[in-house]
């Protein structure tokens, strides 16, 4: 791969050879010709380019050299230049490391000598600090020089006395035993004593020299590192100050507060991103847009000090300054730090002690390709997908996990201002994704008619009910009502697209939140969930897209943007930003945070357009805001969660057996219960039995519909297709072709369900707010539970 060189080339030699250099995620490592000369490492595409085109050069005097593994190493100058290199073998890598270290040491010495000569040529009127440092360095060098002279003297003495001792020993061997024996032995003893004394002196001198060298070497290294870090900090601070100054100048020149449209005033824009490697790399290697970094849609700066006249007063003073003297409750007064009902301060005494653990997940290995290989030649409808891909919860239970942070809706119900209430609703919207960050397991697909109740009336003030209302397309309806003044309902169907490396899951349907006191009705939709590394690698989940939370009574709107993860992004991962506007499009609050940790809001005091940004001439909105207030923070996972499917505290209790629930409740599902207990083989067999039972019931229902002349005949699907869909819809890997048969499109979802099944607790209506057909809770479930009368429930398990 590289030219054969000596393992430790001299510092002044020119070292050349082939190495692999990282370019980007499209092309990966590319073969390049590297030349090390005079403390500079340069590279070319080919040896022929050495005479005319250099692709990049890095100065080793200020560079850091780090070894990653047996063949990989990294060279970085702490700034924009970073080379990720790979040698053909460990021996070749070590040759390059040795050559680079020697060249770096020589370049550093040459730079230090140049600095010293520059200091000597300066006038004596320089600063006292530099003069004292130079005198200290000179004194240390003189001390080290004297120690070296002592070592040289001791070395000469050791050589002299060692030679004399050797001669005496030689003479002693040739002496006969007699009168002169004692004289020779005495001479040998004396010379051995002199050699020992000289050796001890040598050892002591070496010890002193080593201690002195180590002490000053560490001191100088720390000083050098401190100087480098301070320089980097100063450069970053200067860059930030320059940007802020530029934005403030543009905002000042803008001078006016701009009323924006009802939609989000910010405009999406994409910009170039730095890649892994240095910016001087060839252009053709940077022509890709797979992981572009999103440019922030707006800029927030601290508000003018005039908005903080009462700097020492409590937060209620801010409300009075903003014209909120009418007794209304402000968002600042309801911040987590002061809210008596916040999770940190409120003590919830549960009626019953919920479980805090489930059996640990068994460590069963699973090879996806071995499963697919064993299915070759089998009928598609007979391919069972094992529970190894699942987690011991159903999709209905996962849907109920949206209520993990119900306190946000409790606090929103107390708000007098619809804009402040919007902030809490938006935070609740984001919080529902916090439980998914590590949850790579697939929930069980609910059987048609399966239900799940979550009764937390006495503990948390709400009751929740989910039901699987359709099988083709799969759809689940959810209804939750709280005695603290809010109702949440939704119907969600899932569409998925398998793209080879990742699986995109797109929820269809709207979520409704209604507050009784104010009659505010909010709606929003969910963003796209992407599961990466489906085939090879460790699974990880990302959320991306945009959400518009709309208050249909007032016209208020919150536009939330979930930034997709990018390896090259300088922004925080899993970032969420948003702006709360009124019906006229005027911004009142800015939201920021991450969907897996926390959300904050800042009140907007003034907004204006900045200057042009980027080459496309688009402008950003500059918001002057007050100090951010925390709306929501994720509760840490329980201890040992990594062995319990990364379940949250609420998720651990969802499948806990309870008395009095309906016979169709997910807690009674046998295959799910067996999987939770670690009996996966039995769970697989039970899962296959339930799927076959569901197919049989569906065929029977279709026959009855045909016999009765039901309108379902018009949309009736072939039995074979139904069988195929039943099996494939439970598979975590759906190809594009399968998707056409098994996944609902937006048009299909809105036009109507193709199954003639009528749900037990929900009825299909046209939503008056969105105009979409949806299932709304008809009532009767909780009354049937109180009476213990479940005679009308089907036997699905």
């Amino acid at each position: 791969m590289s030219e054969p060189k000596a393992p430790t080339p001299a510092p002044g030699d020119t070292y050349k050879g082939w190495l692999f250099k990282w370019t980007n995620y499209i092309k990966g490592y590319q073969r390049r010709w590297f030349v090390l000369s005079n403390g500079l490492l340069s590279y070319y595409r080919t040896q022929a380019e050495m005479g005319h085109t250099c692709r990049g050069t890095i100065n080793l005097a200020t560079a850091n050299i780090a070894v990653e593994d047996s063949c990989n190493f990294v060279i970085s100058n702490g700034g924009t230049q970073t080379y990720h290199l790979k040698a053909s073998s460990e021996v070749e890598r070590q040759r390059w490391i040795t050559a680079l270290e020697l060249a770096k040491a020589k370049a550093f010495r040459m730079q230090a000598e140049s600095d010293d000569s520059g200091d000597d040529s300066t006038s004596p009127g320089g600063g006292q600090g530099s003069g004292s440092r130079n005198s200290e360095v000179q004194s240390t060098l003189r001390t080290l020089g004297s120690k070296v002279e002592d070592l040289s003297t001791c070395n000469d003495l050791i050589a002299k006395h060692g030679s004399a001792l050797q001669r005496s020993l030689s003479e002693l061997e040739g002496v006969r035993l007699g009168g002169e024996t004692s004289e020779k032995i005495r001479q040998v003893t004396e010379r051995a004593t002199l050699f020992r004394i000289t050796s001890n002196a040598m050892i002591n001198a070496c010890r002193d020299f080593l201690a002195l060298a180590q002490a000053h070497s560490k001191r100088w290294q720390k000083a050098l590192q401190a100087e480098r870090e301070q320089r980097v900090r100063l450069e970053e601070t200067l860059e930030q100050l320059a940007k802020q100054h530029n934005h403030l100048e543009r905002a000042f020149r803008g001078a006016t507060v701009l009323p924006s449209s009802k939609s989000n005033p910010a405009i999406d824009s994409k910009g170039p991103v730095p890649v892994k490697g240095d910016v001087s790399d060839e252009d053709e290697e940077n022509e890709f847009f797979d992981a572009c970094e999103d440019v922030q849609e707006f800029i927030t700066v601290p508000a003018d000090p005039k908005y903080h006249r009462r700097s020492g007063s409590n937060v209620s003073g801010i409300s009075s300054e903003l014209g909120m003297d009418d007794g209304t409750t402000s968002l600042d007064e309801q911040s987590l730090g002061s809210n008596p009902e916040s999770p940190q301060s409120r003590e919830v005494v549960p009626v019953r002690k919920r479980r805090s653990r489930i059996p640990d997940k068994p460590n069963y290995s699973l090879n996806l390709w071995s499963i697919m290989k064993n299915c070759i030649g089998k009928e598609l409808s007979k391919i069972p997908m094992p529970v190894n891909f699942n987690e011991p919860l159903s999709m209905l239970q996962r849907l109920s996990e949206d209520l993990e942070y119900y306190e946000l809706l409790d606090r929103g119900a107390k708000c007098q201002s619809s804009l402040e209430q919007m902030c809490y609703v938006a935070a609740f919207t984001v919080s529902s994704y916090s439980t998914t960050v590590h949850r790579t397991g697939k929930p069980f697909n609910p059987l048609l008619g399966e239900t799940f109740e979550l009764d937390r009336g006495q503990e948390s003030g709400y009751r929740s009910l989910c039901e699987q209302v359709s099988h083709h397309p799969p759809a689940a309806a959810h209804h939750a009502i709280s005695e603290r003044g809010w109702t949440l309902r939704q119907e969600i169907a899932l569409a998925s697209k398998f793209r080879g490396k990742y699986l995109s899951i797109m929820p269809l349907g709207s979520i409704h939140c209604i507050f009784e006191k104010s009659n505010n009705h909010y709606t929003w939709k969910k963003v796209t969930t992407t599961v990466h590394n489906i085939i090879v690698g460790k699974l990880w989940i990302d959320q991306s897209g945009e959400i518009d939370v709309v208050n249909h009574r007032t016209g208020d709107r919150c536009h939330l943007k979930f930034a997709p993860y990018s390896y090259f992004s300088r922004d925080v991962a899993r970032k969420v930003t948003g702006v709360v506007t009124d019906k006229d499009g005027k911004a009142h609050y800015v939201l920021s945070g991450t969907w897996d940790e926390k959300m904050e809001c800042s009140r907007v005091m003034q907004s204006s357009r900045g200057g042009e940004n980027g080459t496309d001439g688009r402008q950003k909105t500059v918001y002057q805001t007050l100090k951010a207030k925390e709306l929501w923070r994720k509760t840490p996972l329980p201890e040992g969660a990594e062995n319990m499917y990364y379940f949250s505290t609420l998720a651990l209790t969802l499948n806990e057996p309870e008395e009095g629930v309906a016979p169709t409740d997910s807690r009674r599902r046998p295959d799910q219960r067996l999987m939770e207990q670690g009996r996966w083989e039995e769970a697989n067999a039970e899962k296959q039995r339930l799927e076959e039972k569901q197919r049989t019931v569906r065929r029977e229902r279709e026959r009855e519909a045909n016999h009765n002349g039901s309108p379902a005949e018009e949309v009736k699907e072939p039995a074979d297709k139904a069988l195929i869909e039943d099996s494939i819809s439970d598979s975590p890997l759906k190809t594009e072709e399968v998707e056409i048969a098994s996944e609902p499109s937006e048009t299909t979802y809105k036009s109507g369900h193709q199954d003639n099944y009528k749900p037990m607790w929900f009825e299909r209506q046209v939503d008056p707010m969105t105009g979409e057909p949806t299932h709304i809770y008809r009532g009767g479930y909780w009354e049937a539970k109180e009476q213990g009368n479940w005679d009308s429930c089907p036997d699905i398990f």
Side-chain angles (χ1 to χ4, degrees), residues 25-27 290 369 497-504 530-541 732-734:
Y25 275 91
I26 302 299
K27 297 184 178 180
D290 188 36
W369 297 118
K497 292 183 179 180
F498 179 54
R499 300 297 191 185
K501 291 184 178 180
Y502 61 89
L503 177 71
S504 295
T530 306
V531 185
H532 293 268
N533 295 339
I534 290 291
I535 302 299
V536 178
K538 183 178 180 181
L539 293 175
W540 61 279
I541 292 178
L733 301 176
K734 295 179 183 142

Side-chain angles (χ1 to χ4, degrees), residues 676-693:
E676 180 184 284
Q677 295 171 354
R679 299 155 62 182
W680 285 16
E681 292 295 333
E682 299 175 57
N684 281 322
E686 191 64 23
K687 181 172 178 289
Q688 193 170 0
R689 181 190 68 81
L690 290 175
E691 291 173 355
E692 184 59 35
K693 181 178 181 180

Side-chain angles (χ1 to χ4, degrees), residues 250-458:
R250 293 175 178 175
F252 182 77
R253 287 196 299 266
T256 57
V257 178
L258 298 178
S260 47
S261 61
K262 288 186 178 182
S263 62
N264 182 27
I267 303 175
D268 291 343
S269 60
K270 300 285 182 179
V273 297
V275 297
K276 187 178 178 183
D278 82 295
V279 296
S280 64
D281 208 345
E282 48 270 19
D283 295 337
E284 54 269 33
E285 291 181 350
N286 292 335
E287 294 178 352
F288 65 101
F289 308 93
D290 188 36
C292 290
E293 177 183 352
D294 289 338
V295 178
Q296 189 172 355
E297 295 182 336
F298 52 83
I299 304 169
T300 58
V301 296
D304 193 274
K306 67 181 180 181
Y307 297 113
H308 300 275
R309 291 196 302 268
R310 304 181 186 180
S311 58
S313 63
N314 56 19
V315 292
S316 61
I318 299 176
S319 303
S320 61
E321 290 180 10
L322 300 179
M324 299 176 62
D325 295 325
D326 55 353
T328 59
T329 304
S330 71
L331 178 64
D332 299 324
E333 291 173 338
Q334 295 192 37
S335 62
L336 284 175
S338 60
N339 183 17
E341 293 191 5
S342 65
Q344 287 83 351
S345 59
R346 184 181 63 185
E347 294 184 1
V348 179
V349 181
V351 175
R352 54 171 290 185
K353 184 178 180 181
R354 305 284 178 180
R355 68 180 184 181
S356 58
R357 290 196 60 84
I358 61 173
D360 289 350
K361 177 181 180 181
N363 188 19
Y364 293 153
S365 61
L366 176 66
N367 188 333
L368 175 62
W369 297 118
S370 65
I371 296 176
M372 307 304 286
K373 179 184 63 176
N374 294 333
C375 296
I376 295 176
K378 293 184 179 180
E379 184 184 350
L380 192 59
S381 62
K382 302 299 183 182
I383 300 176
M385 296 307 298
V387 299
N388 306 55
F389 295 108
N390 292 57
E391 62 179 17
L393 289 179
S394 75
M395 191 62 199
L396 301 180
Q397 292 166 318
R398 284 290 292 268
L399 204 58
S400 301
E401 282 190 70
D402 287 356
L403 298 171
E404 177 96 22
Y405 299 97
Y406 67 92
E407 299 97 337
L408 292 169
L409 298 181
D410 290 348
R411 287 153 55 194
K414 296 181 179 180
C415 290
Q416 301 296 324
S417 168
S418 62
L419 293 169
E420 296 168 1
Q421 191 177 72
M422 174 70 81
C423 292
Y424 285 109
V425 174
F428 174 79
T429 302
V430 176
S431 70
S432 62
Y433 296 98
S434 63
T435 60
T436 66
V437 61
H438 299 298
R439 301 273 290 277
T440 56
K442 175 184 176 294
F444 280 79
N445 282 344
L447 302 175
L448 189 60
E450 186 174 335
T451 61
F452 177 73
E453 69 162 70
L454 186 62
D455 189 352
R456 295 290 191 269
Q458 296 181 350

